[in-house]
Amino acid sequence: MTFSGPLPRNWWYPLMISLACLLSVPSASAMDWSLLLQQGRIGVALPDIETGGWSVTGISAELVNSVEADNHAVTVHFKPGSRLTATTVIEKTEDSPARLNNVQLDLTDVTLTINLSGAGTFADRTTVAGQVTIEVGDLQHPRLKPQGWRFVGRVSGAVSDLSLEGEVRSDSGLLAGVVFRNRADEFMAGQVALDMDAEQAGTALAGALVQWPPLLTLNHGQLEAAASFRLEPDAPFALDARLNLAGVSGVFDRSAFSDMSGRLLFSLEDESLAARLRDISIGQINSGIGIGPVRLLADYRSPVPEPFAGELEIQQATAEFLNGRLRIAPQTLDLAKLPVNVPLDVYELSLERLLEVYPAEGFEGTGRLNGRIPLMISGTSVEVEQGTMAAIVPGGRLRLPGERLQAMLGSSQAVDLVVQALQNFHYSVLDSTIDYDKNGKLMLGLRLEGESPSVRGGQPVVLNINLEEDIPALLTSLQLSGRVNEAVTERVRERLQQSGQEAQP
């Protein structure tokens, strides 16, 4: 049976009109009457719908039902085999078009009631209640990877004020609770909640989101997320979301991180995006040399069209490093004006620990260092100009093996004196300038004042030394040595093989 002609905006309207026509229901003003249909089957092909920026094509219904009707109400109980299908559902917007292919709505155990004697529109007097299953064979959206989705839950309310509550699952394994309400011509609102093991969530999100970082892998901990939105006519889209992290560990690119906890709060309103980092702590970030625990507290705000060109307000940023501390003072950074200058303060860094992690045997030392390293951060690199480090009084001791120093510094009479002195040097002054270019080359200018028992009978000695270090190569060496974890080591080896380099720890 095929129906044609102008139809209301909702998918349910053609179905309701079809039922009313089939039943030939008299008006409420007629004499009392009743109808009972124990088992019925209806096949309906419906015309396409164009409404509210959406296009629905290939609509059909297969209905197995029982019907109870009188001059007050019509009640339809749908039975197994009842389904409403559409070939395509398309959102016609330029910025974020959506396309749903092979949509199927299973109406088994749903009850439909039409109040014939009440006031209000047909949609107000038509209510739906029961368990539903909605399957989308393929959902396409610019921010999502194409795949199937399935919703299982309950539907309730009038057609003009419809609510859905249940769970949605993607083919990639993403599982979330959903609450949705649509009040015709007034608002559309919804809530989504997710609570998953971090490893499972990471795999599912990587399979669902186009912008999920391809080099991010989660392997431990728990993720809890919730989002709510509201859309009203002639009002901006409003979204609030939060993400709770509990003991999350994983790998990002060539760095391992562990025990990440805290809250991330997001909001979107009136073309403005806001993010707040609250109580964020990371047990350790390890790219070859471990940093942590790290603690962050910050706010970020940007225009929606340029999400990475906003203002970052740092309220707290601290980390433990080499038995000392790193700190970025509270400040506001304008990311629309790159590069940004971020002074990094260093407190009581252990020289002993620094020489322990440096990949060279026999380096020993004592003492602690303070300093400031001005980081210049652009979109693609980090640079340092005229950073400084200095030893805390009373200084300390350096013992550096002669063969390694000779290889680093070369050979000359002046170098021979430096090598001899540094094999057992007691310093009172250790000053260093620090420069780091965008290619990863670290340049240190060292000034040492002190004495060595084996040089000039222990008389005061002043040494000026310039050193260079390729930091990416150094970190690669540390990563290949297994100081991070197996996943990072394997990732580094794969990259070196792809570039034709030999993977040597």
Side-chain angles (χ1 to χ4, degrees):
M1 185 178 296
T2 302
F3 292 85
S4 61
L7 294 172
R9 295 172 55 184
N10 197 287
W11 286 18
W12 293 96
Y13 291 7
L15 182 58
M16 302 305 102
I17 293 174
S18 301
L19 290 170
C21 292
L22 287 169
L23 294 169
S24 300
V25 178
S27 68
S29 62
M31 67 178 65
D32 290 343
W33 62 273
S34 64
L35 170 70
L36 177 62
L37 177 65
Q38 294 287 358
Q39 182 76 22
R41 180 179 293 272
I42 305 173
V44 184
L46 301 170
D48 298 343
I49 296 175
E50 296 277 350
T51 178
W54 289 85
S55 172
V56 186
T57 62
I59 309 170
S60 63
E62 293 291 333
L63 306 175
V64 181
N65 53 54
S66 64
V67 180
E68 301 174 24
D70 57 28
N71 58 312
H72 299 293
V74 177
T75 301
V76 181
H77 302 283
F78 294 103
K79 297 183 178 182
S82 298
R83 60 179 54 88
L84 180 68
T85 62
T87 304
T88 61
V89 180
I90 301 174
E91 182 185 17
K92 296 182 177 181
T93 59
E94 295 182 359
D95 55 344
S96 59
R99 180 186 179 96
L100 291 74
N101 296 320
N102 300 323
V103 181
Q104 184 173 182
L105 172 61
D106 190 333
L107 299 172
T108 301
D109 296 330
V110 170
T111 297
L112 171 72
T113 302
I114 306 173
N115 185 348
L116 300 178
S117 59
T121 66
F122 182 79
D124 292 333
R125 293 183 288 110
T126 303
T127 60
V128 185
Q131 187 82 6
V132 295
T133 299
I134 304 173
E135 294 186 355
V136 179
D138 178 44
L139 190 156
Q140 300 176 13
H141 188 276
R143 295 183 178 86
L144 298 175
K145 294 181 179 179
Q147 63 182 302
W149 292 77
R150 177 184 174 91
F151 170 84
V152 178
R154 292 193 61 81
V155 60
S156 61
V159 172
S160 61
D161 188 6
L162 203 61
S163 296
L164 285 171
E165 182 173 358
E167 288 187 338
V168 62
R169 180 187 290 272
S170 71
D171 285 350
S172 66
L174 186 63
L175 178 65
V178 175
V179 178
F180 175 83
R181 183 181 179 189
N182 181 43
R183 189 170 181 84
D185 301 322
E186 293 188 25
F187 68 85
M188 181 187 297
Q191 296 178 337
V192 180
L194 177 152
D195 190 352
M196 298 179 69
D197 171 85
E199 182 175 10
Q200 181 185 5
T203 301
L205 290 168
L209 302 179
V210 170
Q211 294 184 337
W212 181 264
L215 297 177
L216 175 60
T217 303
L218 306 180
N219 53 39
H220 189 268
Q222 196 74 14
L223 290 180
E224 179 186 346
S228 61
F229 71 89
R230 187 178 180 91
L231 183 61
E232 301 178 4
D234 303 320
F237 177 72
L239 171 70
D240 288 291
R242 62 175 174 83
L243 173 63
N244 292 342
L245 307 169
V248 176
S249 301
V251 174
F252 180 64
D253 197 3
R254 292 163 52 171
S255 297
F257 60 91
S258 61
D259 198 21
M260 178 185 294
S261 299
R263 296 174 295 140
L264 285 78
L265 308 176
F266 304 91
S267 63
L268 176 65
E269 187 173 0
D270 196 23
E271 295 300 311
S272 179
L273 172 66
R276 299 180 294 280
L277 283 68
R278 293 293 179 265
D279 304 320
I280 298 295
S281 64
I282 306 172
Q284 187 180 71
I285 302 173
N286 191 350
S287 300
I289 302 176
I291 301 176
V294 178
R295 293 178 175 83
L296 298 172
L297 181 65
D299 290 336
Y300 181 75
R301 183 173 293 275
S302 73
V304 171
E306 299 179 277
F308 301 108
E311 289 189 346
L312 176 63
E313 180 185 351
I314 299 174
Q315 299 161 25
Q316 179 187 17
T318 62
E320 296 182 19
F321 180 59
L322 298 178
N323 294 348
R325 295 180 296 116
L326 306 177
R327 176 179 180 267
I328 296 175
Q331 59 191 284
T332 299
L333 305 175
D334 187 353
L335 302 187
K337 300 177 181 178
L338 296 177
V340 293
N341 193 339
V342 184
L344 176 65
D345 294 318
V346 181
Y347 301 98
E348 299 182 340
L349 183 147
S350 170
L351 184 60
E352 179 179 8
R353 181 63 182 140
L354 173 62
L355 295 178
E356 285 177 357
V357 301
Y358 188 76
E361 295 183 1
F363 279 27
E364 298 179 10
T366 62
R368 290 190 172 271
L369 308 174
N370 288 341
R372 169 166 284 202
I373 303 175
L375 304 175
M376 289 191 299
I377 303 174
S378 67
T380 57
S381 65
V382 177
E383 298 181 56
V384 176
E385 289 186 4
Q386 298 181 345
T388 59
M389 295 283 287
I392 301 173
V393 176
R397 180 175 56 85
L398 284 171
R399 299 188 67 174
L400 310 180
E403 292 182 1
R404 176 68 173 174
L405 282 174
Q406 203 81 51
M408 293 173 61
L409 302 176
S411 180
S412 68
Q413 184 175 357
V415 169
D416 292 342
L417 178 63
V418 171
V419 170
Q420 184 180 2
L422 289 180
Q423 292 183 56
N424 185 14
F425 192 76
H426 299 262
Y427 67 88
S428 58
V429 174
L430 188 161
D431 292 335
S432 175
T433 60
I434 302 171
D435 293 280
Y436 182 73
D437 66 20
K438 61 183 178 180
N439 297 317
K441 181 179 291 185
L442 176 69
M443 291 154 282
L444 298 176
L446 290 173
R447 177 180 174 82
L448 294 166
E449 296 181 15
E451 57 189 36
S452 175
S454 62
V455 176
R456 298 176 181 174
Q459 294 182 5
V461 176
V462 177
L463 301 176
N464 292 295
I465 308 170
N466 293 316
L467 299 174
E468 291 186 2
E469 184 68 75
D470 187 329
I471 295 301
L474 173 63
L475 292 177
T476 297
S477 176
L478 293 172
Q479 291 156 354
L480 289 173
S481 70
R483 295 197 187 191
V484 184
N485 63 27
E486 184 178 345
V488 171
T489 300
E490 184 61 29
R491 186 169 288 178
V492 173
R493 284 177 178 157
E494 290 176 357
R495 289 193 181 182
L496 291 176
Q497 291 173 357
Q498 292 172 358
S499 63
Q501 302 179 46
E502 188 175 354
Q504 293 290 339

